[in-house]
Amino acid sequence: MHKEGRIRVFLLDDHEVVRRGVHEMLSVEDDIEVVGEAGTAAEALARIPAIRPDVAVLDVRLPDGSGVEVCREIRSRDDSVACLMLTSFADDEALFDAIMAGASGYVLKAIRGNELLTAVRDVAAGKSLLDPVVTASVLKRLRKGDEAKDDDRLARLTEQERRILDLIGEGLTNRQIGERLHLAEKTIKNYVSSLLSKLGMQRRSQAAAYVARMQAEKH
């Protein structure tokens, strides 16, 4: 955190009015300092690594990409930056994408000002706003098929693919999985493609949701 004890915040939103409103709301707080802003993913990726804020408030939908991708890229370079996703509507898939990208929280733009301030302070303090109860209910809604089908799908995976699936579930990037298993990032990418294909999935976020659901059922 900043030497004066302030939480240094970066704002990414393509709507200037939203950005200005959030900026003004945060700036009046004694313990928060807005240190940078961007309206596009490219601009954010260029500026955040140099500024190194404590918290990046990232709009999920952007004209040139997604705040989730920005979060994934920033966290893979510097995991000291806590990412708080800001979005207009609740979306299960985006929630899982955010979890996969290493986001600390996910809030709706309809949130009240004091709740946003609390969210920024919480993620700056290292807390996660991804409520396990909410996550579990989302997982139940996403559930397809029964446990027998799960066992059948898991049986198709090699031991290494099972290991990588578990690490995806922990929210690790391909690069981090590669470091953990002492394999090249490209090799991990091939393993991920193979295991997604065997599980009948298109996206890593679906695999993460699948792992989280299996773990939730064990408890």
Side-chain angles (χ1 to χ4, degrees):
M1 219 175 277
H2 204 248
K3 59 176 182 273
E4 294 170 14
R6 286 184 176 180
I7 299 166
R8 304 172 75 250
V9 179
F10 188 96
L11 302 176
L12 168 60
D13 197 299
D14 60 326
H15 296 102
E16 191 187 347
V17 174
V18 173
R19 216 166 58 233
R20 194 176 293 174
V22 174
H23 187 147
E24 287 174 8
M25 185 169 44
L26 296 177
S27 296
V28 297
E29 300 297 309
D30 293 338
D31 61 333
I32 296 174
E33 177 187 7
V34 178
V35 292
E37 292 183 28
T40 64
E43 194 183 347
L45 285 170
R47 302 190 63 204
I48 292 175
I51 295 172
R52 296 197 67 196
D54 299 306
V55 179
V57 179
L58 308 172
D59 188 11
V60 170
R61 292 179 182 271
L62 298 163
D64 63 335
S66 160
V68 172
E69 292 300 327
V70 173
C71 173
R72 183 176 291 119
E73 182 65 29
I74 293 303
R75 297 270 309 162
S76 69
R77 290 192 217 170
D78 181 0
D79 62 10
S80 71
V81 180
C83 295
L84 183 62
M85 311 311 298
L86 194 60
T87 185
S88 303
F89 56 91
D91 173 357
D92 292 348
E93 193 67 34
L95 170 61
F96 286 117
D97 283 346
I99 292 171
M100 279 302 301
S104 300
Y106 183 92
V107 294
L108 299 176
K109 288 184 182 177
I111 194 171
R112 286 198 294 275
N114 60 339
E115 290 173 336
L116 180 59
L117 292 170
T118 300
V120 167
R121 290 180 179 122
D122 281 352
V123 299
K127 294 180 189 170
S128 170
L129 302 187
L130 297 162
D131 184 334
V133 177
V134 174
T135 308
S137 69
V138 169
L139 289 170
K140 278 180 188 163
R141 288 208 306 276
L142 287 181
R143 184 172 186 172
K144 291 186 181 82
D146 54 22
E147 287 176 20
K149 198 181 284 182
D150 286 345
D151 292 341
D152 183 48
R153 290 199 291 184
L154 283 174
R156 296 178 205 159
L157 302 185
T158 65
E159 197 177 323
Q160 187 76 297
E161 286 168 348
R162 279 293 300 271
R163 201 171 294 137
I164 290 168
L165 178 63
D166 287 339
L167 294 174
I168 289 174
E170 287 178 31
L172 271 61
T173 62
N174 285 354
R175 187 183 308 169
Q176 290 166 329
I177 293 172
E179 287 167 4
R180 183 82 64 91
L181 300 179
H182 308 293
L183 293 168
E185 187 177 352
K186 193 172 181 184
T187 304
I188 299 299
K189 197 173 179 183
N190 291 338
Y191 271 121
V192 172
S193 297
S194 170
L195 73 86
L196 288 179
S197 172
K198 287 179 182 179
L199 294 173
M201 298 172 184
Q202 281 80 47
R203 304 170 69 170
R204 286 175 65 105
S205 54
Q206 291 171 299
Y210 178 70
V211 173
R213 174 165 64 76
M214 288 196 298
Q215 288 170 347
E217 286 168 357
K218 283 177 190 171
H219 298 306

